Amino acid sequence: MIDSETFKGIMACAPGPATVVTATGDDGRHQGLTMSAVCSVSLDPPLVLACLDHGSNTLQAVRSSGSFTVNYIAHGHESVALDFAVKSDSKFDGHAWAIPEAGMGGPVLAENTAAFAVCRVEQMTEAGDHTIVVGAVIAGEVREDSHALAYARRAFFTAVESQV
């Protein structure tokens, strides 16, 4: 098997979306974390997946609520992605958020997103030290005036900035 540092280096080369995945646990506490292991799965029905570490508080909240929200962080809001990338009980402090109108899912960071997708858990599969969570997208929104951040080689960028 390849060593973990080489594997991390390889994966860091591949750009992914800068997202904050959020969920609300049975205890009413909001959880969230920054991640790039998020992608679309299917158009019909609309499905996305997120890969969450087994030890994640956000995964526990996803399991208990059966739902989550994928917040695609907008260009210029890199600080939000960085705030949710650390272990802390105060990640939501200083950030505007709202409960989705759909009645499920985690907090929407609407002022900081280019888009968001509210999801109902359809399937969970353990894979190594993570759980792959597949969610049916039941609600969402796109801000046409904003571009989503991507992340690779430990740096943020947008596709618009990198076009030739």
Side-chain angles (χ1 to χ4, degrees):
M1 281 281 191
I2 194 168
D3 66 274
S4 63
E5 288 306 309
T6 302
F7 180 70
K8 284 193 267 184
I10 293 167
M11 293 299 101
C13 289
T19 69
V20 173
V21 173
T22 61
T24 303
D26 283 343
D27 58 2
R29 292 183 58 200
H30 304 304
Q31 303 292 337
L33 74 150
T34 300
M35 57 189 306
S36 59
V38 174
C39 69
S40 64
V41 174
S42 168
L43 180 60
D44 187 19
L47 300 173
V48 299
L49 70 74
C51 301
L52 293 103
D53 184 276
H54 289 291
S56 164
N57 291 333
T58 304
L59 176 59
Q60 292 173 14
V62 169
R63 285 187 192 282
S64 67
S65 67
S67 63
F68 60 98
T69 298
V70 179
N71 293 276
Y72 292 88
I73 303 302
H75 174 69
H77 296 271
E78 292 83 351
S79 64
V80 175
L82 293 171
D83 287 348
F84 279 86
V86 299
K87 293 208 179 279
S88 169
D89 289 333
S90 58
K91 293 180 184 183
F92 290 90
D93 293 355
H95 299 294
W97 55 270
I99 299 298
E101 291 179 16
M104 63 173 34
V108 174
L109 304 169
E111 291 181 10
N112 302 302
T113 62
F116 68 87
V118 179
C119 305
R120 178 185 64 243
V121 173
E122 290 293 306
Q123 182 179 355
M124 298 179 109
T125 303
E126 290 193 16
D129 58 3
H130 280 61
T131 297
I132 301 165
V133 181
V134 177
V137 180
I138 59 168
E141 187 176 303
V142 176
R143 287 184 44 205
E144 296 297 335
D145 64 338
S146 185
H147 292 281
L149 285 174
Y151 188 76
R153 294 193 183 253
R154 295 168 180 76
F156 295 106
F157 63 96
T158 66
V160 173
E161 293 170 345
S162 61
Q163 290 179 351
V164 181

